[in-house]
Amino acid sequence: AKCSEFLEPGTYTIEWIDTTANTTEKLYSRIRNIELSSNWVEVEMDAEGDLGMSVLEKVNALKDVELLKVKGALNATDWTNIKQMKNLLALDLSEAKFDAVPDYAFDGLSWLSNVKLPEGMTSIGQYAFHGTQIWDIDIPSTVTYIGQYAFASTRLRSIDFPEDSQLRTIGYSAFYNCTSLQEFIMPNTVTTLQRYNNSSD
């Protein structure tokens, strides 16, 4: 089984729990060395649609990418290529350019636990992060819309909105089944909490 986790810089305590032990004795484990790898694949795009080829110049296959930083404008082809990166743990889009995180953008990327979004984008599509391992997210101030089920069934612990947030609409069940969510402070700019809509409009 895969045992990868994206960790931000900081201090961590790791506990080893042996659930197979059939004894009342205390079991101890010492971790002597923790290596935080920094094998980021960094791509600066010359043109929209080039992401796949640019990444493949650095790795053998899209599935080999675990940490990705993208600079430049993205189009639908680029989003399709990101979705093929099935082992993606972290994605830094803080210097990328796009208007919206598309519907279902990361749905199916079950190891994805960290995403940085850029200022300037305006919406997060329905089911965009559904089923990922995302645990914290900073929503850019320019985002006005979060689609239905956008963060449903994730490990989301906190969602941060800046003081100058322009968020106006939150879709139906956008944070459904986020059992780890500790606090949600909705910006006072929100005017619409949508009801369920199963149409494709």
Side-chain angles (χ1 to χ4, degrees):
K2 182 171 179 175
C3 188
S4 294
E5 187 77 37
F6 178 79
L7 298 176
E8 292 282 2
T11 302
Y12 297 89
T13 300
I14 299 176
E15 292 181 344
W16 176 273
I17 302 172
D18 188 346
T19 58
T20 62
N22 217 359
T23 178
T24 57
E25 293 180 27
K26 292 183 178 178
L27 300 174
Y28 296 95
S29 178
R30 177 177 294 165
I31 296 178
R32 297 181 181 274
N33 183 41
I34 298 175
E35 179 182 347
L36 297 181
S37 64
S38 59
N39 55 334
W40 284 86
V41 174
E42 296 191 21
V43 175
E44 187 159 358
M45 311 230 325
D46 294 324
E48 293 180 3
D50 285 351
L51 179 64
M53 291 304 298
S54 297
V55 169
L56 289 173
E57 290 174 1
K58 302 183 179 205
V59 298
N60 293 326
L62 294 179
K63 67 180 179 59
D64 295 336
V65 179
E66 293 185 344
L67 309 173
L68 178 65
K69 181 181 176 81
V70 180
K71 297 178 183 178
L74 301 180
N75 68 9
T77 300
D78 300 317
W79 287 106
T80 299
N81 283 316
I82 289 172
K83 189 121 182 201
Q84 293 176 39
M85 300 177 189
K86 298 299 184 184
N87 291 307
L88 196 62
L89 295 171
L91 178 61
D92 185 346
L93 297 173
S94 59
E95 296 182 56
K97 293 179 175 56
F98 53 89
D99 290 331
V101 174
D103 295 348
Y104 301 91
F106 307 119
D107 184 30
L109 299 183
S110 57
W111 298 108
L112 185 64
S113 60
N114 185 279
V115 174
K116 292 182 180 175
L117 298 172
E119 279 294 321
M121 60 169 288
T122 58
S123 68
I124 297 173
Q126 64 181 356
Y127 292 88
F129 290 87
H130 175 258
T132 66
Q133 297 293 314
I134 195 87
W135 58 19
D136 296 301
I137 189 86
D138 292 331
I139 304 297
S141 64
T142 49
V143 170
T144 60
Y145 173 82
I146 296 175
Q148 66 182 8
Y149 294 99
F151 293 94
S153 300
T154 62
R155 290 174 40 195
L156 198 63
R157 297 177 308 189
S158 69
I159 181 164
D160 295 318
F161 300 97
E163 288 185 12
D164 60 344
S165 174
Q166 299 169 34
L167 186 65
R168 292 194 298 271
T169 303
I170 298 177
Y172 176 81
S173 291
F175 304 99
Y176 173 75
N177 198 28
C178 290
T179 57
S180 299
L181 191 60
Q182 298 169 355
E183 183 177 63
F184 179 84
I185 300 175
M186 188 169 63
N188 59 15
T189 54
V190 174
T191 57
T192 305
L193 297 176
Q194 291 182 326
R195 293 183 178 182
Y196 179 69
N197 178 11
N198 65 356
S199 73
S200 58
D201 298 337

